[in-house]
PDB file of all heavy atoms in Angstrom:
ATOM      1  N   PRO A   1      18.266   5.700   7.495  1.00 94.00           N
ATOM      2  CA  PRO A   1      19.100   5.033   6.477  1.00 94.00           C
ATOM      3  C   PRO A   1      18.888   3.466   6.564  1.00 94.00           C
ATOM      4  O   PRO A   1      19.094   2.863   5.417  1.00 94.00           O
ATOM      5  CB  PRO A   1      20.455   5.335   7.025  1.00 94.00           C
ATOM      6  CG  PRO A   1      20.363   5.843   8.399  1.00 94.00           C
ATOM      7  CD  PRO A   1      18.957   6.372   8.577  1.00 94.00           C
ATOM      8  N   HIS A   2      18.353   2.949   7.612  1.00 91.00           N
ATOM      9  CA  HIS A   2      18.072   1.455   7.642  1.00 91.00           C
ATOM     10  C   HIS A   2      16.972   0.986   6.793  1.00 91.00           C
ATOM     11  O   HIS A   2      16.832  -0.248   6.590  1.00 91.00           O
ATOM     12  CB  HIS A   2      17.980   0.924   9.125  1.00 91.00           C
ATOM     13  CG  HIS A   2      16.683   1.418   9.727  1.00 91.00           C
ATOM     14  ND1 HIS A   2      16.571   2.577  10.310  1.00 91.00           N
ATOM     15  CD2 HIS A   2      15.484   0.865   9.920  1.00 91.00           C
ATOM     16  CE1 HIS A   2      15.339   2.793  10.812  1.00 91.00           C
ATOM     17  NE2 HIS A   2      14.687   1.727  10.558  1.00 91.00           N
ATOM     18  N   LYS A   3      16.209   1.989   6.310  1.00 93.00           N
ATOM     19  CA  LYS A   3      15.009   1.600   5.459  1.00 93.00           C
ATOM     20  C   LYS A   3      15.452   1.434   3.977  1.00 93.00           C
ATOM     21  O   LYS A   3      14.689   1.060   3.136  1.00 93.00           O
ATOM     22  CB  LYS A   3      13.932   2.538   5.562  1.00 93.00           C
ATOM     23  CG  LYS A   3      13.293   2.573   6.975  1.00 93.00           C
ATOM     24  CD  LYS A   3      12.068   3.428   7.071  1.00 93.00           C
ATOM     25  CE  LYS A   3      11.383   3.246   8.434  1.00 93.00           C
ATOM     26  NZ  LYS A   3      10.158   3.976   8.500  1.00 93.00           N
ATOM     27  N   LYS A   4      16.694   1.819   3.612  1.00 95.00           N
ATOM     28  CA  LYS A   4      17.177   1.694   2.126  1.00 95.00           C
ATOM     29  C   LYS A   4      17.011   0.348   1.614  1.00 95.00           C
ATOM     30  O   LYS A   4      16.451   0.107   0.657  1.00 95.00           O
ATOM     31  CB  LYS A   4      18.577   2.194   2.108  1.00 95.00           C
ATOM     32  CG  LYS A   4      19.049   2.176   0.668  1.00 95.00           C
ATOM     33  CD  LYS A   4      20.536   2.650   0.468  1.00 95.00           C
ATOM     34  CE  LYS A   4      20.963   2.637  -0.891  1.00 95.00           C
ATOM     35  NZ  LYS A   4      22.166   3.257  -1.172  1.00 95.00           N
ATOM     36  N   GLU A   5      17.508  -0.723   2.338  1.00 95.00           N
ATOM     37  CA  GLU A   5      17.469  -2.056   1.825  1.00 95.00           C
ATOM     38  C   GLU A   5      16.067  -2.574   1.797  1.00 95.00           C
ATOM     39  O   GLU A   5      15.733  -3.299   0.793  1.00 95.00           O
ATOM     40  CB  GLU A   5      18.207  -2.985   2.769  1.00 95.00           C
ATOM     41  CG  GLU A   5      18.314  -4.410   2.346  1.00 95.00           C
ATOM     42  CD  GLU A   5      19.167  -5.357   3.226  1.00 95.00           C
ATOM     43  OE1 GLU A   5      20.055  -4.894   4.053  1.00 95.00           O
ATOM     44  OE2 GLU A   5      19.003  -6.530   3.150  1.00 95.00           O
ATOM     45  N   GLU A   6      15.228  -2.315   2.764  1.00 93.00           N
ATOM     46  CA  GLU A   6      13.811  -2.574   2.659  1.00 93.00           C
ATOM     47  C   GLU A   6      13.149  -1.970   1.424  1.00 93.00           C
ATOM     48  O   GLU A   6      12.415  -2.688   0.752  1.00 93.00           O
ATOM     49  CB  GLU A   6      13.162  -2.139   3.986  1.00 93.00           C
ATOM     50  CG  GLU A   6      11.634  -2.508   3.966  1.00 93.00           C
ATOM     51  CD  GLU A   6      11.242  -3.878   4.206  1.00 93.00           C
ATOM     52  OE1 GLU A   6      12.166  -4.693   4.632  1.00 93.00           O
ATOM     53  OE2 GLU A   6      10.205  -4.193   4.150  1.00 93.00           O
ATOM     54  N   ALA A   7      13.398  -0.677   1.153  1.00 96.00           N
ATOM     55  CA  ALA A   7      12.825  -0.024   0.157  1.00 96.00           C
ATOM     56  C   ALA A   7      13.146  -0.605  -1.225  1.00 96.00           C
ATOM     57  O   ALA A   7      12.349  -0.803  -2.087  1.00 96.00           O
ATOM     58  CB  ALA A   7      13.127   1.382   0.103  1.00 96.00           C
ATOM     59  N   ILE A   8      14.385  -0.908  -1.404  1.00 96.00           N
ATOM     60  CA  ILE A   8      14.889  -1.418  -2.755  1.00 96.00           C
ATOM     61  C   ILE A   8      14.688  -2.953  -2.836  1.00 96.00           C
ATOM     62  O   ILE A   8      14.175  -3.408  -3.857  1.00 96.00           O
ATOM     63  CB  ILE A   8      16.418  -0.892  -2.980  1.00 96.00           C
ATOM     64  CG1 ILE A   8      16.320   0.572  -3.089  1.00 96.00           C
ATOM     65  CG2 ILE A   8      16.923  -1.603  -4.161  1.00 96.00           C
ATOM     66  CD1 ILE A   8      17.712   1.188  -3.097  1.00 96.00           C
ATOM     67  N   GLN A   9      15.164  -3.650  -1.915  1.00 95.00           N
ATOM     68  CA  GLN A   9      15.238  -5.118  -1.975  1.00 95.00           C
ATOM     69  C   GLN A   9      13.760  -5.742  -1.830  1.00 95.00           C
ATOM     70  O   GLN A   9      13.366  -6.573  -2.662  1.00 95.00           O
ATOM     71  CB  GLN A   9      16.141  -5.780  -1.027  1.00 95.00           C
ATOM     72  CG  GLN A   9      17.556  -5.339  -1.174  1.00 95.00           C
ATOM     73  CD  GLN A   9      18.151  -5.794  -2.466  1.00 95.00           C
ATOM     74  OE1 GLN A   9      17.861  -6.773  -2.984  1.00 95.00           O
ATOM     75  NE2 GLN A   9      19.037  -4.849  -2.974  1.00 95.00           N
ATOM     76  N   HIS A  10      13.018  -5.312  -0.822  1.00 93.00           N
ATOM     77  CA  HIS A  10      11.694  -5.945  -0.587  1.00 93.00           C
ATOM     78  C   HIS A  10      10.608  -5.177  -1.370  1.00 93.00           C
ATOM     79  O   HIS A  10       9.816  -5.910  -1.927  1.00 93.00           O
ATOM     80  CB  HIS A  10      11.408  -5.820   0.905  1.00 93.00           C
ATOM     81  CG  HIS A  10      10.131  -6.384   1.308  1.00 93.00           C
ATOM     82  ND1 HIS A  10       9.720  -7.756   1.261  1.00 93.00           N
ATOM     83  CD2 HIS A  10       8.919  -5.798   1.702  1.00 93.00           C
ATOM     84  CE1 HIS A  10       8.483  -7.939   1.549  1.00 93.00           C
ATOM     85  NE2 HIS A  10       8.071  -6.796   1.872  1.00 93.00           N
ATOM     86  N   LEU A  11      10.595  -3.983  -1.446  1.00 95.00           N
ATOM     87  CA  LEU A  11       9.469  -3.224  -2.050  1.00 95.00           C
ATOM     88  C   LEU A  11       9.710  -2.917  -3.564  1.00 95.00           C
ATOM     89  O   LEU A  11       8.777  -2.537  -4.203  1.00 95.00           O
ATOM     90  CB  LEU A  11       9.112  -1.949  -1.303  1.00 95.00           C
ATOM     91  CG  LEU A  11       8.608  -2.195   0.174  1.00 95.00           C
ATOM     92  CD1 LEU A  11       8.449  -0.852   0.938  1.00 95.00           C
ATOM     93  CD2 LEU A  11       7.329  -3.015   0.181  1.00 95.00           C
ATOM     94  N   GLY A  12      10.947  -3.018  -3.995  1.00 95.00           N
ATOM     95  CA  GLY A  12      11.234  -2.778  -5.470  1.00 95.00           C
ATOM     96  C   GLY A  12      11.377  -1.340  -5.863  1.00 95.00           C
ATOM     97  O   GLY A  12      11.328  -1.064  -6.993  1.00 95.00           O
ATOM     98  N   ALA A  13      11.675  -0.437  -4.917  1.00 97.00           N
ATOM     99  CA  ALA A  13      11.934   0.893  -5.197  1.00 97.00           C
ATOM    100  C   ALA A  13      13.241   0.993  -6.153  1.00 97.00           C
ATOM    101  O   ALA A  13      14.137   0.238  -6.077  1.00 97.00           O
ATOM    102  CB  ALA A  13      12.150   1.757  -3.969  1.00 97.00           C
ATOM    103  N   ASP A  14      13.271   1.906  -7.012  1.00 98.00           N
ATOM    104  CA  ASP A  14      14.395   2.092  -7.827  1.00 98.00           C
ATOM    105  C   ASP A  14      15.513   2.836  -7.319  1.00 98.00           C
ATOM    106  O   ASP A  14      16.672   2.615  -7.671  1.00 98.00           O
ATOM    107  CB  ASP A  14      13.962   2.754  -9.092  1.00 98.00           C
ATOM    108  CG  ASP A  14      12.875   2.057  -9.872  1.00 98.00           C
ATOM    109  OD1 ASP A  14      13.271   1.058 -10.532  1.00 98.00           O
ATOM    110  OD2 ASP A  14      11.754   2.424  -9.737  1.00 98.00           O
ATOM    111  N   SER A  15      15.211   3.676  -6.345  1.00 97.00           N
ATOM    112  CA  SER A  15      16.336   4.438  -5.661  1.00 97.00           C
ATOM    113  C   SER A  15      15.754   4.965  -4.221  1.00 97.00           C
ATOM    114  O   SER A  15      14.698   4.818  -3.879  1.00 97.00           O
ATOM    115  CB  SER A  15      16.712   5.658  -6.408  1.00 97.00           C
ATOM    116  OG  SER A  15      15.671   6.429  -6.686  1.00 97.00           O
ATOM    117  N   PHE A  16      16.741   5.355  -3.425  1.00 97.00           N
ATOM    118  CA  PHE A  16      16.443   5.803  -2.160  1.00 97.00           C
ATOM    119  C   PHE A  16      17.298   7.086  -1.807  1.00 97.00           C
ATOM    120  O   PHE A  16      18.373   7.237  -2.114  1.00 97.00           O
ATOM    121  CB  PHE A  16      17.042   4.717  -1.122  1.00 97.00           C
ATOM    122  CG  PHE A  16      16.750   4.874   0.283  1.00 97.00           C
ATOM    123  CD1 PHE A  16      15.600   4.604   0.894  1.00 97.00           C
ATOM    124  CD2 PHE A  16      17.682   5.609   1.088  1.00 97.00           C
ATOM    125  CE1 PHE A  16      15.330   4.815   2.241  1.00 97.00           C
ATOM    126  CE2 PHE A  16      17.475   5.849   2.423  1.00 97.00           C
ATOM    127  CZ  PHE A  16      16.377   5.424   3.041  1.00 97.00           C
ATOM    128  N   LEU A  17      16.609   7.964  -1.238  1.00 97.00           N
ATOM    129  CA  LEU A  17      17.172   9.313  -0.817  1.00 97.00           C
ATOM    130  C   LEU A  17      17.125   9.465   0.667  1.00 97.00           C
ATOM    131  O   LEU A  17      15.985   9.340   1.331  1.00 97.00           O
ATOM    132  CB  LEU A  17      16.556  10.510  -1.417  1.00 97.00           C
ATOM    133  CG  LEU A  17      16.882  10.833  -2.856  1.00 97.00           C
ATOM    134  CD1 LEU A  17      15.939  11.993  -3.213  1.00 97.00           C
ATOM    135  CD2 LEU A  17      18.355  11.250  -2.951  1.00 97.00           C
ATOM    136  N   LEU A  18      18.287   9.526   1.288  1.00 96.00           N
ATOM    137  CA  LEU A  18      18.279   9.824   2.741  1.00 96.00           C
ATOM    138  C   LEU A  18      18.129  11.345   2.966  1.00 96.00           C
ATOM    139  O   LEU A  18      19.000  12.158   2.620  1.00 96.00           O
ATOM    140  CB  LEU A  18      19.661   9.266   3.370  1.00 96.00           C
ATOM    141  CG  LEU A  18      19.746   9.488   4.902  1.00 96.00           C
ATOM    142  CD1 LEU A  18      18.680   8.730   5.551  1.00 96.00           C
ATOM    143  CD2 LEU A  18      21.189   9.078   5.241  1.00 96.00           C
ATOM    144  N   SER A  19      16.991  11.831   3.438  1.00 95.00           N
ATOM    145  CA  SER A  19      16.583  13.223   3.494  1.00 95.00           C
ATOM    146  C   SER A  19      17.517  13.986   4.380  1.00 95.00           C
ATOM    147  O   SER A  19      17.536  15.205   4.256  1.00 95.00           O
ATOM    148  CB  SER A  19      15.103  13.407   3.828  1.00 95.00           C
ATOM    149  OG  SER A  19      14.919  12.926   5.211  1.00 95.00           O
ATOM    150  N   ARG A  20      18.264  13.314   5.306  1.00 94.00           N
ATOM    151  CA  ARG A  20      19.155  14.077   6.224  1.00 94.00           C
ATOM    152  C   ARG A  20      20.445  14.304   5.549  1.00 94.00           C
ATOM    153  O   ARG A  20      21.333  15.015   6.048  1.00 94.00           O
ATOM    154  CB  ARG A  20      19.397  13.228   7.417  1.00 94.00           C
ATOM    155  CG  ARG A  20      18.154  13.079   8.288  1.00 94.00           C
ATOM    156  CD  ARG A  20      18.381  12.192   9.473  1.00 94.00           C
ATOM    157  NE  ARG A  20      17.160  11.728  10.037  1.00 94.00           N
ATOM    158  CZ  ARG A  20      16.828  11.811  11.276  1.00 94.00           C
ATOM    159  NH1 ARG A  20      17.644  12.407  12.109  1.00 94.00           N
ATOM    160  NH2 ARG A  20      15.625  11.500  11.749  1.00 94.00           N
ATOM    161  N   ASP A  21      20.660  13.720   4.368  1.00 95.00           N
ATOM    162  CA  ASP A  21      22.030  13.936   3.593  1.00 95.00           C
ATOM    163  C   ASP A  21      21.840  15.095   2.693  1.00 95.00           C
ATOM    164  O   ASP A  21      21.274  14.820   1.525  1.00 95.00           O
ATOM    165  CB  ASP A  21      22.351  12.599   2.946  1.00 95.00           C
ATOM    166  CG  ASP A  21      23.717  12.678   2.358  1.00 95.00           C
ATOM    167  OD1 ASP A  21      24.090  13.804   1.847  1.00 95.00           O
ATOM    168  OD2 ASP A  21      24.465  11.627   2.284  1.00 95.00           O
ATOM    169  N   GLN A  22      22.316  16.225   3.002  1.00 94.00           N
ATOM    170  CA  GLN A  22      22.190  17.397   2.215  1.00 94.00           C
ATOM    171  C   GLN A  22      22.778  17.235   0.812  1.00 94.00           C
ATOM    172  O   GLN A  22      22.288  17.736  -0.219  1.00 94.00           O
ATOM    173  CB  GLN A  22      22.734  18.632   2.894  1.00 94.00           C
ATOM    174  CG  GLN A  22      21.992  18.959   4.207  1.00 94.00           C
ATOM    175  CD  GLN A  22      20.524  19.119   3.968  1.00 94.00           C
ATOM    176  OE1 GLN A  22      20.079  19.791   3.090  1.00 94.00           O
ATOM    177  NE2 GLN A  22      19.707  18.477   4.857  1.00 94.00           N
ATOM    178  N   ASP A  23      23.887  16.554   0.652  1.00 96.00           N
ATOM    179  CA  ASP A  23      24.567  16.304  -0.591  1.00 96.00           C
ATOM    180  C   ASP A  23      23.666  15.466  -1.515  1.00 96.00           C
ATOM    181  O   ASP A  23      23.504  15.748  -2.737  1.00 96.00           O
ATOM    182  CB  ASP A  23      25.961  15.733  -0.441  1.00 96.00           C
ATOM    183  CG  ASP A  23      26.915  16.625   0.235  1.00 96.00           C
ATOM    184  OD1 ASP A  23      26.711  17.877   0.147  1.00 96.00           O
ATOM    185  OD2 ASP A  23      27.863  16.097   0.824  1.00 96.00           O
ATOM    186  N   LEU A  24      23.181  14.371  -0.924  1.00 94.00           N
ATOM    187  CA  LEU A  24      22.292  13.590  -1.777  1.00 94.00           C
ATOM    188  C   LEU A  24      21.050  14.292  -2.247  1.00 94.00           C
ATOM    189  O   LEU A  24      20.595  14.186  -3.440  1.00 94.00           O
ATOM    190  CB  LEU A  24      21.790  12.335  -0.944  1.00 94.00           C
ATOM    191  CG  LEU A  24      22.799  11.169  -0.836  1.00 94.00           C
ATOM    192  CD1 LEU A  24      22.246  10.097   0.131  1.00 94.00           C
ATOM    193  CD2 LEU A  24      23.183  10.645  -2.132  1.00 94.00           C
ATOM    194  N   MET A  25      20.441  15.009  -1.339  1.00 95.00           N
ATOM    195  CA  MET A  25      19.266  15.858  -1.670  1.00 95.00           C
ATOM    196  C   MET A  25      19.555  16.845  -2.654  1.00 95.00           C
ATOM    197  O   MET A  25      18.680  16.994  -3.644  1.00 95.00           O
ATOM    198  CB  MET A  25      18.660  16.425  -0.409  1.00 95.00           C
ATOM    199  CG  MET A  25      18.077  15.412   0.641  1.00 95.00           C
ATOM    200  SD  MET A  25      16.577  14.580   0.045  1.00 95.00           S
ATOM    201  CE  MET A  25      15.360  15.867   0.246  1.00 95.00           C
ATOM    202  N   HIS A  26      20.661  17.578  -2.603  1.00 95.00           N
ATOM    203  CA  HIS A  26      20.969  18.478  -3.538  1.00 95.00           C
ATOM    204  C   HIS A  26      21.212  17.910  -4.901  1.00 95.00           C
ATOM    205  O   HIS A  26      20.873  18.480  -5.960  1.00 95.00           O
ATOM    206  CB  HIS A  26      22.259  19.311  -3.087  1.00 95.00           C
ATOM    207  CG  HIS A  26      22.622  20.431  -4.041  1.00 95.00           C
ATOM    208  ND1 HIS A  26      21.933  21.582  -4.177  1.00 95.00           N
ATOM    209  CD2 HIS A  26      23.555  20.503  -4.969  1.00 95.00           C
ATOM    210  CE1 HIS A  26      22.448  22.431  -4.995  1.00 95.00           C
ATOM    211  NE2 HIS A  26      23.382  21.697  -5.600  1.00 95.00           N
ATOM    212  N   GLY A  27      21.892  16.740  -4.920  1.00 96.00           N
ATOM    213  CA  GLY A  27      22.210  15.968  -6.191  1.00 96.00           C
ATOM    214  C   GLY A  27      20.858  15.540  -6.859  1.00 96.00           C
ATOM    215  O   GLY A  27      20.881  15.318  -8.037  1.00 96.00           O
ATOM    216  N   ALA A  28      19.817  15.390  -6.156  1.00 96.00           N
ATOM    217  CA  ALA A  28      18.520  14.966  -6.694  1.00 96.00           C
ATOM    218  C   ALA A  28      17.591  16.060  -6.908  1.00 96.00           C
ATOM    219  O   ALA A  28      16.369  15.845  -7.329  1.00 96.00           O
ATOM    220  CB  ALA A  28      17.916  13.832  -5.758  1.00 96.00           C
ATOM    221  N   LYS A  29      17.971  17.321  -6.747  1.00 96.00           N
ATOM    222  CA  LYS A  29      17.206  18.497  -7.011  1.00 96.00           C
ATOM    223  C   LYS A  29      16.543  18.496  -8.430  1.00 96.00           C
ATOM    224  O   LYS A  29      17.153  18.114  -9.373  1.00 96.00           O
ATOM    225  CB  LYS A  29      18.136  19.766  -6.831  1.00 96.00           C
ATOM    226  CG  LYS A  29      17.312  21.063  -6.778  1.00 96.00           C
ATOM    227  CD  LYS A  29      18.174  22.265  -6.503  1.00 96.00           C
ATOM    228  CE  LYS A  29      17.352  23.419  -6.505  1.00 96.00           C
ATOM    229  NZ  LYS A  29      18.182  24.648  -6.331  1.00 96.00           N
ATOM    230  N   GLU A  30      15.225  18.823  -8.369  1.00 96.00           N
ATOM    231  CA  GLU A  30      14.441  18.901  -9.632  1.00 96.00           C
ATOM    232  C   GLU A  30      14.483  17.545 -10.423  1.00 96.00           C
ATOM    233  O   GLU A  30      14.485  17.556 -11.600  1.00 96.00           O
ATOM    234  CB  GLU A  30      14.790  20.050 -10.407  1.00 96.00           C
ATOM    235  CG  GLU A  30      14.643  21.415  -9.591  1.00 96.00           C
ATOM    236  CD  GLU A  30      15.014  22.681 -10.440  1.00 96.00           C
ATOM    237  OE1 GLU A  30      15.521  22.392 -11.613  1.00 96.00           O
ATOM    238  OE2 GLU A  30      14.840  23.733  -9.946  1.00 96.00           O
ATOM    239  N   SER A  31      14.401  16.443  -9.743  1.00 97.00           N
ATOM    240  CA  SER A  31      14.507  15.130 -10.502  1.00 97.00           C
ATOM    241  C   SER A  31      13.184  14.402 -10.387  1.00 97.00           C
ATOM    242  O   SER A  31      13.090  13.341 -11.214  1.00 97.00           O
ATOM    243  CB  SER A  31      15.561  14.294  -9.861  1.00 97.00           C
ATOM    244  OG  SER A  31      15.314  13.992  -8.517  1.00 97.00           O
ATOM    245  N   LEU A  32      12.222  14.736  -9.637  1.00 98.00           N
ATOM    246  CA  LEU A  32      10.919  14.016  -9.416  1.00 98.00           C
ATOM    247  C   LEU A  32       9.750  14.752 -10.131  1.00 98.00           C
ATOM    248  O   LEU A  32       9.655  15.787  -9.920  1.00 98.00           O
ATOM    249  CB  LEU A  32      10.646  13.637  -8.017  1.00 98.00           C
ATOM    250  CG  LEU A  32      11.912  12.928  -7.299  1.00 98.00           C
ATOM    251  CD1 LEU A  32      11.483  12.778  -5.916  1.00 98.00           C
ATOM    252  CD2 LEU A  32      12.056  11.596  -7.967  1.00 98.00           C
ATOM    253  N   ASP A  33       8.935  13.968 -10.795  1.00 97.00           N
ATOM    254  CA  ASP A  33       7.667  14.570 -11.325  1.00 97.00           C
ATOM    255  C   ASP A  33       6.635  14.792 -10.276  1.00 97.00           C
ATOM    256  O   ASP A  33       5.848  15.656 -10.370  1.00 97.00           O
ATOM    257  CB  ASP A  33       7.112  13.605 -12.407  1.00 97.00           C
ATOM    258  CG  ASP A  33       8.030  13.445 -13.635  1.00 97.00           C
ATOM    259  OD1 ASP A  33       8.365  14.446 -14.245  1.00 97.00           O
ATOM    260  OD2 ASP A  33       8.374  12.427 -13.956  1.00 97.00           O
ATOM    261  N   GLY A  34       6.598  13.924  -9.272  1.00 97.00           N
ATOM    262  CA  GLY A  34       5.747  13.967  -8.244  1.00 97.00           C
ATOM    263  C   GLY A  34       6.109  13.200  -7.025  1.00 97.00           C
ATOM    264  O   GLY A  34       7.025  12.441  -7.016  1.00 97.00           O
ATOM    265  N   ILE A  35       5.516  13.581  -5.853  1.00 98.00           N
ATOM    266  CA  ILE A  35       5.970  13.037  -4.621  1.00 98.00           C
ATOM    267  C   ILE A  35       4.554  12.821  -3.742  1.00 98.00           C
ATOM    268  O   ILE A  35       3.788  13.687  -3.729  1.00 98.00           O
ATOM    269  CB  ILE A  35       6.846  13.980  -3.751  1.00 98.00           C
ATOM    270  CG1 ILE A  35       8.143  14.202  -4.463  1.00 98.00           C
ATOM    271  CG2 ILE A  35       7.065  13.414  -2.267  1.00 98.00           C
ATOM    272  CD1 ILE A  35       9.083  15.205  -3.767  1.00 98.00           C
ATOM    273  N   ILE A  36       4.569  11.677  -3.189  1.00 97.00           N
ATOM    274  CA  ILE A  36       3.384  11.260  -2.330  1.00 97.00           C
ATOM    275  C   ILE A  36       3.936  11.348  -0.908  1.00 97.00           C
ATOM    276  O   ILE A  36       5.008  10.637  -0.613  1.00 97.00           O
ATOM    277  CB  ILE A  36       2.795   9.894  -2.590  1.00 97.00           C
ATOM    278  CG1 ILE A  36       2.131   9.891  -3.937  1.00 97.00           C
ATOM    279  CG2 ILE A  36       1.746   9.559  -1.544  1.00 97.00           C
ATOM    280  CD1 ILE A  36       1.650   8.444  -4.476  1.00 97.00           C
ATOM    281  N   ASP A  37       3.443  12.212  -0.070  1.00 97.00           N
ATOM    282  CA  ASP A  37       4.011  12.412   1.258  1.00 97.00           C
ATOM    283  C   ASP A  37       3.064  11.772   2.273  1.00 97.00           C
ATOM    284  O   ASP A  37       1.920  12.171   2.412  1.00 97.00           O
ATOM    285  CB  ASP A  37       4.103  13.964   1.513  1.00 97.00           C
ATOM    286  CG  ASP A  37       4.802  14.215   2.948  1.00 97.00           C
ATOM    287  OD1 ASP A  37       4.642  13.415   3.783  1.00 97.00           O
ATOM    288  OD2 ASP A  37       5.213  15.355   3.032  1.00 97.00           O
ATOM    289  N   THR A  38       3.516  10.652   2.878  1.00 95.00           N
ATOM    290  CA  THR A  38       2.636   9.816   3.738  1.00 95.00           C
ATOM    291  C   THR A  38       2.964  10.135   5.140  1.00 95.00           C
ATOM    292  O   THR A  38       2.344   9.368   6.134  1.00 95.00           O
ATOM    293  CB  THR A  38       2.888   8.298   3.457  1.00 95.00           C
ATOM    294  OG1 THR A  38       4.217   7.992   3.870  1.00 95.00           O
ATOM    295  CG2 THR A  38       2.696   8.010   1.945  1.00 95.00           C
ATOM    296  N   ILE A  39       3.843  11.073   5.513  1.00 94.00           N
ATOM    297  CA  ILE A  39       4.164  11.255   6.858  1.00 94.00           C
ATOM    298  C   ILE A  39       3.071  11.973   7.669  1.00 94.00           C
ATOM    299  O   ILE A  39       2.590  12.997   7.247  1.00 94.00           O
ATOM    300  CB  ILE A  39       5.531  12.000   6.942  1.00 94.00           C
ATOM    301  CG1 ILE A  39       6.608  11.362   6.159  1.00 94.00           C
ATOM    302  CG2 ILE A  39       5.945  12.415   8.395  1.00 94.00           C
ATOM    303  CD1 ILE A  39       7.869  12.047   6.096  1.00 94.00           C
ATOM    304  N   SER A  40       2.809  11.393   8.895  1.00 90.00           N
ATOM    305  CA  SER A  40       1.765  12.082   9.679  1.00 90.00           C
ATOM    306  C   SER A  40       2.392  12.876  10.874  1.00 90.00           C
ATOM    307  O   SER A  40       1.685  13.096  11.809  1.00 90.00           O
ATOM    308  CB  SER A  40       0.851  10.949  10.286  1.00 90.00           C
ATOM    309  OG  SER A  40       0.057  10.516   9.172  1.00 90.00           O
TER     310      SER A  40
END
């Protein structure tokens, strides 16, 4: 959750989803055209 401010304020992201928050994830269901997964 501490990366939200960095994502939006510094990097210019339009929105932020906390993947541990099931309600947020459910609310964003089928909302993205594509995802780049950078996690190793």
Side-chain angles (χ1 to χ4, degrees):
H2 69 275
K3 292 189 178 182
K4 180 177 182 176
E5 184 177 340
E6 178 75 12
I8 294 173
Q9 300 299 323
H10 178 70
L11 298 173
D14 299 284
S15 58
F16 181 89
L17 279 175
L18 183 61
S19 60
R20 295 175 194 235
D21 185 326
Q22 297 304 316
D23 292 335
L24 283 177
M25 293 294 283
H26 184 73
K29 189 175 179 180
E30 299 179 357
S31 66
L32 302 176
D33 296 304
I35 298 173
I36 297 174
D37 185 336
T38 69
I39 300 174
S40 290

